[in-house]
Amino acid sequence: ASNIRVAGVAIGADTLEVATFAGGCFWCMEEAFDAVLGVEATISGYTGGSIEDPGYEQVSSGRTGHLEAVNVFFDPEVVSFAEVLQTFWRNVDPTDDGGQFCDRGSQYVSAIFVRNERQRALAEASKRALEAERRIVTPILPATTFWPAEEYHQDYYTKNPVRYRFYKFNCGRKARLEEVWGEAGG
């Protein structure tokens, strides 16, 4: 069995499915997915860009084409990809093509990165269902190389809870999610 290491813990990769999502600040996306029963781990990182092994300063400049993203490792026996998609949608503003909340720029837009045709079909179906209610700009893209972010970004919301809550509140994330989704938002 092949294993991956997340925060020093070996996880059986052959029993978990991986989903990759961009939804603005990866700290906030980690928090949202970590709360889902069946999600075993999340990793903040960068994907979709043009350079190898980018760092935060490069990505945050908006010039590399990378998006802040999270890899979500989940047990499909406990939570389905369709359910993981619902968590994603309820934690982004899929109508905003300029970034997410207070984080502006191409590196903060929302996107779903699919790893196979099953994920693509489920992602497209979930997007079509939402498009019945509103215009959705979130693209569904093929997964590309995922570069883990620096260690200080991993689990930021638990390592720096006061700073994180201050950032999240001042960014207006919760208020905007309630506008978009009602009480079901993030």
Side-chain angles (χ1 to χ4, degrees):
S2 59
N3 287 324
I4 52 171
R5 295 191 72 74
V6 177
V9 176
I11 296 177
D14 52 352
T15 62
L16 298 180
E17 189 172 338
V18 182
T20 304
F21 301 104
C25 173
F26 45 35
W27 301 339
C28 297
M29 296 306 286
E30 266 197 354
E31 180 190 30
F33 286 110
D34 283 347
V36 176
L37 184 65
V39 169
E40 299 296 324
T42 54
I43 300 176
S44 288
Y46 316 109
T47 195
S50 60
I51 64 170
E52 300 281 312
D53 199 17
Y56 178 74
E57 295 300 322
Q58 293 167 301
V59 173
S60 65
S61 75
R63 292 191 293 267
T64 68
H66 289 87
L67 283 72
E68 280 197 14
V70 291
N71 266 352
V72 179
F73 297 87
F74 64 98
D75 182 343
E77 299 288 321
V78 179
V79 62
S80 69
F81 182 68
E83 292 167 316
V84 172
L85 279 166
Q86 286 304 308
T87 297
F88 166 74
W89 289 120
R90 295 298 187 248
N91 282 279
V92 297
D93 177 353
T95 67
D96 187 347
D97 60 5
Q100 289 288 289
F101 316 103
C102 68
D103 294 315
R104 310 312 299 162
S106 61
Q107 68 275 31
Y108 296 114
V109 297
S110 63
I112 299 169
F113 293 90
V114 294
R115 297 172 177 280
N116 55 49
E117 284 309 308
R118 185 183 59 78
Q119 282 189 355
R120 176 176 298 286
L122 289 166
E124 288 175 353
S126 70
K127 182 177 177 177
R128 275 192 306 275
L130 294 174
E131 286 175 326
E133 303 168 21
R134 61 187 56 116
R135 181 178 145 270
I136 304 294
V137 298
T138 302
I140 298 168
L141 305 167
T144 59
T145 303
F146 182 90
W147 304 98
E150 297 80 354
E151 182 57 35
Y152 72 91
H153 286 299
Q154 307 302 329
D155 301 312
Y156 187 88
Y157 74 98
T158 61
K159 293 177 185 172
N160 300 285
V162 173
R163 281 189 180 155
Y164 171 72
R165 285 193 304 269
F166 182 77
Y167 158 78
K168 187 175 174 182
F169 176 80
N170 282 339
C171 201
R173 190 174 191 104
K174 183 175 173 42
R176 179 63 185 145
L177 289 174
E178 287 176 0
E179 285 177 24
V180 173
W181 302 110
E183 291 302 315

